[in-house]
Amino acid sequence: MHWMTAHIKRRVQYLSDQAPYMNSNSKEVASGMHPDELQGTACDPATVQKHDIVRRNSKAGRNFVDRMRCTVVGGHGGSGCVCFFRDSFVPNGPPNGGDGGSGGNVWFEADENETSLSCVKQMLRARPGVNGKGKNMHGQGGDDLIVKVPKGTMVREYQAANKPGEIGGGSSGSQQSQEIRHSRRTDDSTGFLEELDRQIHASEERARLSRESLFVHYPRWEDRNNVSRVRIPPEYRDAMRELEHAAPLSVDLVSHGQRVLVARGGVGGPGNPHFISPDDRQPHYALRGLEGQRRALDLELKTIADVGLVGMPNAGKSTFLRAVSNAHPKVAPYPFTTLNPYIGTVTFADTFQMTVADIPGLIPGAHRNVGLGHAFLRHVERSKMLVYIIDVSRPSPWADLERLQAELELYQPGLARRPTLVVANKADREDARSNFERWSHMTDVPLVPASAKHRKNILKATHTIRQILESA
């Protein structure tokens, strides 16, 4: 128990050292300094609270990620075992080496509870399989790695997968043929034949080394085993071919619970009992496990919502979302308060629900990625309906609507022609009534005056959105 006594002593010493900072509510701290003397120092409670708030805000600002790249690697397969049965009266028993376990797979699963790609690590690796053992004990397979991603994530492979079956680093046949054609163009006939003969021998040597590297040998039997004519099991050969000729990955995860296999684990190597033949009754070799599939993926999140709120900066989109749903985005009287899309759920009395996405403000030139335009516009693509939040108290509010529709149409043709509703926000201000009456005579787009700050006419706006959404 002496270690526990030492731990308690260290803990008591630590608490006594921290007493001047922990007793800040008393008139005089343990160090003898008055609380007024702590103002402006690192021990000032106000300074500590301020830095804590800044730290939390900066951390919250980095949480949302809507585009990233990651590498996924399937688990390495376990190697087969080279072992033989031994007993008191059986000195040369039959082979009984177990098979290696298969490596784990990497899966992506769409989850509606996730809202950002920050939950995805840049390197994702599944568990490897366990090597086989003697007495026909097979290795355990590696556990699959299931990664939760937000609903609406697009998975694209931006780099060709490796060739796990090519253990030993041999070059492909297409590269060899290119080398031969290059030598044919540069050398004369005699030099070409010599170069071709050299390349053929080099290719055969690479193939032999690559084949031999697939096998694990019994101790001190590396030179005695002849594996050039060994028949590889068809399951192992098919797994090698499948990993080598894997098609590029491209999938959209749009529904909750949808899964996609992004990296396949390597197959475990068969033990030496699989290689018994009439010519070799005691094979002293087995196959190694294959490497797992490796892929470099590009993940892009496009928010899926029934309604997308589109507007100029500081038009009141976040205030409108707070008024109609249970979301609580940041609200402040300056532009670009919202830097990340927020999704809220509007619930009606008859249990009907619709999701509303608050898209950050757009500025002229957003289709050219001005002001992070593409980072904001990608979240509008999958909205079934667009609700334009326009500040009706501004001079010529109809011009703002025309600019927003032009930006959407230039970014993606046909995007501005989706079902539309215009919410004339800030209708309680001066000049708002005259602008709204003039605007209502100029356009056929449905207009609803509202004041999101004072929650006026919000019920009519939500019911109009529902009617348009159900009729779309």
Side-chain angles (χ1 to χ4, degrees), residues 5 11 152 193 371:
T5 305
R11 184 63 178 171
L193 294 177

Side-chain angles (χ1 to χ4, degrees), residues 10-41:
R10 288 196 301 269
R11 184 63 178 171
V12 172
Q13 182 65 29
Y14 171 77
L15 293 177
S16 63
D17 295 340
Q18 296 296 321
Y21 309 104
M22 299 173 61
N23 195 21
S24 59
N25 293 328
S26 62
K27 293 183 179 180
E28 192 175 48
V29 294
S31 63
M33 296 180 62
H34 195 271
D36 295 339
E37 301 178 11
L38 296 175
Q39 294 183 0
T41 65

Side-chain angles (χ1 to χ4, degrees), residues 69-72 156-161 294-298:
R69 285 184 172 181
C70 66
T71 303
V72 293
R156 300 288 184 271
E157 185 176 1
Y158 70 91
Q159 181 176 320
R294 176 186 292 266
R295 274 177 166 156
L297 302 179
D298 188 357

Side-chain angles (χ1 to χ4, degrees), residues 302-308 342-344 354-358 379-380 382-385 469:
K302 293 185 178 181
T303 305
I304 298 179
D306 298 326
V307 181
Y342 284 85
I343 298 180
M354 64 181 181
T355 55
V356 182
D358 176 19
H379 297 284
V380 191
R382 296 184 174 180
S383 298
K384 302 177 183 177
M385 175 185 175
L469 191 63

